[in-house]
Amino acid sequence: MTRSFLQGHSDPTVQPVPASVVERVDAADTTLQNPKWAVISIGSNLGNRLETLQGAVDALEDTPGVRVKAVSPVYETEPWGVEPGSQPSYFNAVVVLKTTLPPASLLERAHAVEEAFNRVRDERWGPRTLDVDIVSYADVTSDDPHLTLPHPRAHERAFVLAPWHDVDPQAQLPGRGTVATLLASVTREGVEARADLELRLPE
């Protein structure tokens, strides 16, 4: 595992991945043929938010053709696009994975994971038990309305960029530039790191 997010960085709230876990994940990679890197954003503002996010991470890892490589710190975020105080705050995180699934199949799995946690899609900016979005998939860019890649609003959302930058400070959002530069250009108001919370990398 040579990616920079597995080597740690200066943020003291981000813990290095134990060598034993690195070895197990690398061994699991041998089951993947020509895998692609993908970045997934997960969020929840209903129920046991941390438990739900951990369940989403575990469900992604349990997907054939998917190996979770890194999980970001947890951020608490004010809801996007709604009146302040009208909804509970979100817990958000980013998952970096390798997959042999094509983008459309990964999207189907993301929706299946949401549905397993009783996601309801009645309201565009409504509260939800779980939101699972594909932020980027390799260097793929696509205007397909069913799955736009990279995610069309990721570049302006600190609750995506901040946790992604934590696990991969050198990350690039295809067509938009470095995550570090994008993060510096957006407001982080209402997006706070929760050092007291942690998501586990699946074993």
Side-chain angles (χ1 to χ4, degrees):
M1 300 171 79
T2 59
R3 296 279 290 205
S4 59
F5 56 74
L6 297 173
Q7 298 167 0
H9 66 99
S10 59
D11 187 341
T13 66
V14 180
Q15 300 300 313
V17 178
S20 60
V21 174
V22 172
E23 291 171 2
R24 286 198 298 272
V25 174
D26 278 345
D29 273 350
T30 62
T31 66
L32 300 181
Q33 299 298 317
N34 192 29
K36 306 296 185 184
W37 290 98
V39 177
I40 305 290
S41 174
I42 55 177
S44 172
N45 76 333
L46 292 177
N48 188 324
R49 296 167 292 174
L50 186 66
E51 183 177 286
T52 296
L53 294 190
Q54 185 64 60
V57 173
D58 294 341
L60 288 168
E61 173 66 17
D62 288 341
T63 303
V66 171
R67 292 290 178 268
V68 172
K69 304 291 282 186
V71 181
S72 78
V74 176
Y75 280 73
E76 187 163 12
T77 306
E78 291 302 312
W80 177 275
V82 299
E83 194 71 25
S86 64
Q87 292 183 24
S89 61
Y90 276 84
F91 284 174
N92 290 101
V94 158
V95 181
V96 180
L97 52 83
K98 274 186 170 181
T99 182
T100 55
L101 298 178
S105 296
L106 187 60
L107 179 64
E108 289 178 1
R109 179 55 175 166
H111 287 168
V113 173
E114 289 178 339
E115 290 167 7
F117 285 88
N118 301 310
R119 163 70 185 267
V120 176
R121 296 178 178 275
D122 290 340
E123 185 181 348
R124 182 181 184 189
W125 302 115
R128 66 278 312 264
T129 53
L130 180 63
D131 199 12
V132 181
D133 287 325
I134 301 175
V135 177
S136 69
Y137 182 99
D139 294 325
V140 174
T141 58
S142 169
D143 293 329
D144 185 336
H146 184 61
L147 176 56
T148 304
L149 290 171
H151 190 286
R153 290 175 294 280
H155 66 284
E156 59 190 24
R157 292 179 168 179
F159 65 82
V160 173
L161 298 171
W164 188 4
H165 183 263
D166 283 342
V167 291
D168 189 358
Q170 308 303 318
Q172 299 255 352
L173 184 64
R176 293 286 184 178
T178 68
V179 170
T181 300
L182 294 169
L183 180 58
S185 69
V186 300
T187 178
R188 296 180 68 152
E189 182 178 356
V191 179
E192 302 292 338
R194 288 291 303 268
D196 57 318
L197 303 177
E198 183 180 10
L199 294 173
R200 302 181 310 276
L201 191 67
E203 297 184 1

